[in-house]
Amino acid sequence: MPESIQLTILIPLYNEDESLPELHDWIVRVVTENHYTYEILFVDDGSTDTSWEVIEQLARRNPHVRGIRFNRNYGKTAALQAGFQAVRGQVVITMDADLQDSPDEIPELYRMVTEDKYDLVSGWKQKRYDPITKTLPTKLFNAVSRWVSGVPLHDFNCGLKAYRQKVVKTIAPALYGDMHRNLPIVANWNGFGRIGEKVVQHRARKYGTTKFGLERFVNGFLDVLVIGFVQKFSKRPMHFFGTFGTLSFFVGSVLAIWLIVEKLINIAQGVKFRNVTDNPLFFFGLVAIILGVQLFLAGFLGEMLVRQSLGKSNDTLIAERVGFLENKVPM
């Protein structure tokens, strides 16, 4: 298989052994009809069922299939990160393994990236087959994401997306936690501003049960806020902590000096006065000074960490590979 191919279909999964053969055959039919050079890359996020055995069988049957298996469950973000680092296609399409994403969407997503020159195209499940306990939090999450990021998408969390290869190679090292919900935001803030959207079909789940609970929405809201902060200040933490630290130190110092000067003036004029430590404003000023120093030091330490930070590798997460030139994991 050539090192540079037209299309990679990247599928992160966890305990989806029932759906994998059907999904594989559906994808193969679509890409064959459209004459794409392709690879299908499965990333098994520590499944406890027979998902990895199914992937190995598919790889033996189809040389275009590759697989990565984690030694335990690390989450969808880690699975996408490992996949992004391994993809070879000029266009990368991600989809879930549960058959709720339709491979029939692949040709149009590919065309939007290659012909319309989008950096990223996100699927929009306009009509969803989910209960209101999922659809309502999703709408709120998407509204907050649009407000924080300025990226005008309706559905940030849709697993069906298409990327230019350069996008995934650029953002992969920056992913951690649960950032898979906010990949359009991460891409936009890394300079890839041509982000499009396509209405896609949302199919009812055919096998198994969902692997995500309601806590994902709380985590999603927090992640949006964190990404907003990190993207704005990660390269210059002193601008954030130093600004507030300097302001706090200045206010506290002014209060302390004012109280001391006021006491000295009262002494000189023979006016009755109370001790500075009896005034609540003194303690407010003292706290402000201490807080200001701590914030300034936090900014300083942040600057040092940024300069010494190194990229991390996912090799320690990977237990096994299939379809790669070297399937063993480095020791």
Side-chain angles (χ1 to χ4, degrees):
M1 186 185 300
E3 283 302 309
S4 180
I5 57 181
Q6 289 177 297
L7 181 63
T8 294
I9 297 94
L10 171 60
I11 305 169
L13 62 107
Y14 177 68
N15 290 345
E16 298 286 0
D17 54 359
E18 292 179 297
S19 63
L20 293 180
E22 183 176 341
L23 177 61
H24 165 270
D25 294 346
W26 193 353
I27 291 172
V28 170
R29 175 177 61 78
V30 171
V31 297
T32 302
E33 288 174 354
N34 288 272
H35 309 290
Y36 297 132
T37 56
Y38 75 98
E39 67 176 354
I40 303 173
L41 177 56
F42 293 102
V43 182
D44 182 357
D45 186 21
S47 294
T48 55
D49 63 2
T50 61
S51 291
W52 182 247
E53 287 78 4
V54 173
I55 293 169
E56 289 182 313
Q57 293 170 7
L58 293 173
R60 287 193 291 270
R61 198 174 93 198
N62 182 356
H64 300 280
V65 170
R66 297 196 297 161
I68 294 172
R69 181 174 71 86
F70 286 174
N71 52 21
R72 66 172 177 84
N73 180 244
Y74 287 95
K76 189 173 182 178
T77 298
L80 286 173
Q81 183 182 47
F84 286 162
Q85 292 170 336
V87 296
R88 297 178 296 184
Q90 294 305 304
V91 174
V92 179
I93 294 179
T94 61
M95 63 172 55
D96 294 334
D98 55 13
L99 293 173
Q100 290 189 281
D101 295 332
S102 172
D104 289 334
E105 308 283 358
I106 290 173
E108 180 61 15
L109 290 170
Y110 180 82
R111 188 200 65 77
M112 291 177 73
V113 173
T114 56
E115 297 182 18
D116 295 343
K117 305 301 181 184
Y118 283 107
D119 296 315
L120 185 157
V121 180
S122 182
W124 173 18
K125 294 175 180 177
Q126 194 172 26
K127 181 179 180 181
R128 302 182 66 97
Y129 293 93
D130 288 324
I132 192 171
T133 54
K134 289 183 66 175
T135 56
L136 182 58
T138 295
K139 289 181 182 296
L140 293 174
F141 168 75
N142 287 324
V144 172
S145 298
R146 284 193 296 271
W147 175 68
V148 171
S149 67
V151 178
L153 293 180
H154 291 88
D155 192 352
F156 285 82
N157 196 31
C158 178
L160 187 57
K161 291 182 172 68
Y163 307 79
R164 195 177 303 280
Q165 187 194 89
K166 185 177 180 181
V167 176
V168 301
K169 296 297 186 182
T170 299
I171 68 175
L175 300 181
Y176 64 90
D178 290 328
M179 283 191 176
H180 64 273
R181 300 185 182 93
N182 304 292
L183 294 178
I185 301 175
V186 178
N188 183 59
W189 282 339
N190 276 275
F192 300 101
R194 287 192 54 80
I195 297 176
E197 188 170 48
K198 180 186 183 300
V199 175
V200 297
Q201 179 186 7
H202 182 224
R203 308 173 74 247
R205 175 181 276 272
K206 187 173 181 179
Y207 303 106
T209 58
T210 181
K211 311 303 187 296
F212 300 100
L214 290 176
E215 72 279 359
R216 67 174 180 163
F217 297 109
V218 177
N219 296 337
F221 284 120
L222 296 176
D223 287 338
V224 170
L225 299 178
V226 169
I227 290 175
F229 175 83
V230 170
Q231 291 295 331
K232 191 170 184 180
F233 295 108
S234 63
K235 302 300 183 185
R236 43 192 177 93
M238 182 60 81
H239 288 199
F240 178 81
F241 292 104
T243 298
F244 284 101
T246 301
L247 180 62
S248 180
F249 184 85
F250 176 76
V251 170
S253 298
V254 169
L255 280 175
I257 293 171
W258 177 68
L259 292 173
I260 293 172
V261 170
E262 182 185 45
K263 178 179 178 179
L264 292 176
I265 292 174
N266 289 337
I267 292 174
Q269 295 178 347
V271 178
K272 185 178 179 180
F273 64 90
R274 62 177 178 174
N275 292 330
V276 171
T277 54
D278 293 335
N279 192 327
L281 285 177
F282 172 76
F283 295 99
F284 179 81
L286 187 62
V287 170
I289 291 173
I290 295 173
L291 181 62
V293 172
Q294 290 179 329
L295 286 172
F296 187 87
L297 289 175
F300 179 73
L301 292 173
E303 291 284 345
M304 294 180 64
L305 290 173
V306 166
R307 284 161 173 73
Q308 296 179 11
S309 63
L310 298 173
K312 64 179 182 178
S313 171
N314 262 338
D315 283 343
T316 56
L317 314 181
I318 298 173
E320 200 169 355
R321 297 185 178 96
V322 65
F324 289 75
L325 292 178
E326 175 55 68
N327 291 331
K328 294 182 180 179
V329 179
M331 299 299 290

